[in-house]
Amino acid sequence: MTATVRHNASSPGVTRRGFIAGTGSLIGAATLAGHATPAYAQADPGAHVQALVIGTGYGGSVAALRLAEAGVEVHMVEMGMAWDTPGPDGKIFANTTAPDFRSFWLRTRTRQPISQFLGFPLDKNVPCYTGILDAEDFGGITVYQGRGVGGGSLVNGGMAVTPRRENFGAVLPSVDVDEMYDVYYPRANAGLGVSDVDPGWWETTDCYKYARVGRKHAERSGFPFVFVPNVYDWEYMAQEATGSVPKSALAGEVLYGNNHGKKSLRQTYLAAALATGRVTISPLHKVTSVAPVSGGGGSGGGGSPGYAVVIDQIDTGGATTATQTVTADTVFFAAGSVGTSKLLTRLKATGVLPGLNGEIGKGWGDNGNVMCGRANHLWDPTGKLQSAMPTAGIDNWAAGGAFAEVAPLPTGIETYASFYLSITNNPHRAEFSWNAGSGAVELNWRTAWKQPSIAAAKTIFDKINSKEGTIYRTDLFGAYKIWGDHLTYHPLGGAVLNRATDNHGRLHGYTGLYVIDGSLIPGNASVNPFVTITALAERNIESLIATDFQALRR
Ligand code: FAE
């Protein structure tokens, strides 16, 4: 076994006190955010764990924290990197405007969401590496996902949106709305460190000029303009603006990680989970199979027979360097909508978990994501300094089925552009299926299914363009292409609550297997999803701990 211990007190919000990477061993020990004690005493191959969590995003982090607080020993397995070591430029994360080997998951060429600018292609060749942003291509859509300890919280814009109460019932009809809004949304927002930008500062700072222009245009066309909370540290951003601290959001950092300022899960739920002393994390480990242990023998999880979990250890080129099997009393699928759906679809189809029900892989949607830009007049600039953290949106959900985030274009130059990511009420749902011939899980989404999203977004932007005498940008997504309709940032569904699982995430057919991530939400959340994923996870884990984990609690 090799062991390395490094000190890196200057890394952004993550103080690396100890990290042990065991060659050929299953579990490394990771500590985050100033917890001096290594989180894990090295596990032996063939180890037995009480709760194994697949993935370290929102659902997984909530599960790990609450289980550990209840006395359960938790191992988290994460296929992405630890992201605690600076690169050659002294920074952990690459800038949005200068992607490098750290930026993309196992690609030799970047696949930037905005692929062109003023007629010039933006993508470039990069070394193949286990980078932070996965642009996963399916037949009709590219699904962007975060990879690493912290999951999507590493790469996202931090927009922490609680949906309108009247829309929630359509999203998750089997969930008690009062409980969600009285207990679990507040708990999630507190746990995530969500807060509002200071309105006085927002009104005057250069870095939100683009958002003020967005508000002016929205209001002149009669649309409700709403402020949206974020997990960014606003005090830090104000200091960035005065030049007293290293810049992150104001240097355009977001898509490939924030070196400072953003409270990702590493500073919140994961830090709290590790502080319990009962949670350990294995980065660069990928779960490939979960199978019932024949003959049983599990010690808890509501009579669970125990599961054999097969885990590949990978290197930064993506090659498998070791494969090991761990026995777990309980397994939480928290690999994100795509990761969890792919695993469950394959395990069901290949006879490893044949008792899963027919809802596995179904109900997947893109949260109605569609992007567009508008070209403003030369007398209406949006500013060359743009904070990469969005703060506001245009809410036309009730009238036109679209909630449009007023998004930055942090290029460092004046673009005279307004840019938007719309979340729309798109009715299409796709399904994952196993292709035995290719040995891959496929998704039957079609690009044409974005048409309802485009129509919904047009209810806002056609009207604004008409009022302002402006036009759509046609240079961002390909030559003369107005709509960014090839992608989603918000994959949801595939193991939907109360269909593939019971009403608290227990997978049908197997005691001790749970889903606790975005795959529970049936394709649309009506707003940016991570607060809802977190709140639902808080709701479900509280109930599961009270019922299924009595035997494991200390
Ligand atoms: P997620 O956070 O994706 O975590 C899953 C984890 O599992 C990942 O770390 C994977 O690497 C790991 N994993 C997958 N398969 C395996 C396996 N087989 N073995 C081991 N590990 C595995 O899941 N949402 C908002 O609400 N506001 C925003 O401003 C926002 N902006 C976004 C911007 C971008 C560019 C992107 C990509 C997403 C954005 N999102 C935003 C979406 C949000 O990040 C996403 O909904 C959540 O991260 C999903 O949370 P989950 O817990 O489902």
Side-chain angles (χ1 to χ4, degrees), residues 54-60 77-80 133 144-148 150-153 155-160 255 285-287 334-337 339 343 489-490 517-519 528-531 533:
I54 309 172
T56 57
Y58 292 90
V77 182
E78 170 55 55
M79 68 192 265
L133 185 64
Y144 284 88
Q145 298 150 88
R147 293 274 175 255
S153 78
V155 299
N156 67 37
M159 281 182 83
L255 211 48
H285 284 72
K286 180 175 181 179
V287 171
S337 162
L343 261 177
Y489 284 178
H490 300 164
D517 59 14
S519 45
N528 313 56
F530 76 60
V531 174
I533 294 170

Side-chain angles (χ1 to χ4, degrees), residues 1-68:
M1 189 194 107
T2 57
T4 51
V5 179
R6 299 194 189 94
H7 292 270
N8 177 29
S10 66
S11 60
V14 176
T15 303
R16 180 177 172 161
R17 298 286 176 85
F19 175 78
I20 305 166
T23 311
S25 66
L26 170 63
I27 309 285
T31 62
L32 302 180
H35 302 293
T37 322
Y40 184 75
Q42 196 78 22
D44 296 327
H48 171 261
V49 300
Q50 293 182 325
L52 189 138
V53 177
I54 309 172
T56 57
Y58 292 90
S61 298
V62 171
L65 171 62
R66 301 307 177 201
L67 286 166

